[in-house]
Amino acid sequence: MAGGPYFRATHPIAGSDLDGNIFLCTEGATKSSFSQGIILVSRSTDGGTTFGGPVVVFKPENSNDFPDKPWMAVNNFTGTATPAGRIIVTWTLFQSNGSSPVMRSDSDHHGPTWGRPLAGHA
C-alpha cells in the first residue's frame, strides 16, 4: 500500500520550525468508510523533498469518538512563554454523547513524540 496503513488523509496543514524542519499534519482514515479517524504529523528534515512516516498525535480509544478538523501551529519566536520550536496540534473531538471539545497536544522535540491530549487552551 503506497500510502501506508491509512485509507486516505484529509485536512492537511503545513508548518516549519527555526531549524528548517517542515511538518505536515493530517487526519487519517483508519477504516475505508472513514468512520474512524486519527490525527498524524509527518516531518521532513530536507526541505520537503522527503517525509518520514506519520507519527500518531491522537488515536481515539474507541469508535464512538471521532477527531476532526485538525490545525497546527509552530512557535518560531524565541523569548516567549513556550519554547521556540514547540508544535501544537488541535482538533475537535466529536463524541457519541454529543460533546465536542477542542483538544490539543504538543511536541517540544520536533514531532517524534507528543504530549498527552488535553481539552481546552494552553
Side-chain angles (χ1 to χ4, degrees):
M1 184 183 283
Y6 306 105
F7 292 94
R8 84 176 206 200
T10 187
H11 302 306
I13 305 297
S16 61
D17 67 14
L18 294 171
D19 295 327
N21 296 304
I22 297 175
F23 303 94
L24 181 64
C25 177
T26 58
E27 177 182 348
T30 57
K31 291 198 174 271
S32 61
S33 63
F34 214 151
S35 59
Q36 291 181 325
I38 190 168
I39 305 298
L40 307 160
V41 170
S42 298
R43 177 179 68 170
S44 172
T45 58
D46 61 9
T49 301
T50 60
F51 281 83
V55 174
V56 174
V57 175
F58 176 76
K59 180 179 181 180
E61 293 181 14
N62 59 60
S63 61
N64 295 327
D65 297 339
F66 188 83
D68 200 9
K69 310 297 187 236
W71 195 257
M72 177 179 63
V74 182
N75 179 12
N76 284 324
F77 299 96
T78 58
T80 59
T82 58
R86 175 174 282 177
I87 308 164
I88 297 176
V89 172
T90 64
W91 63 94
T92 302
L93 185 60
F94 293 99
Q95 299 174 317
S96 60
N97 66 6
S99 179
S100 54
V102 174
M103 304 294 292
R104 65 180 168 87
S105 182
D106 57 52
S107 175
D108 288 333
H109 304 101
H110 305 285
T113 59
W114 290 86
R116 181 174 59 91
L118 301 170
H121 62 283

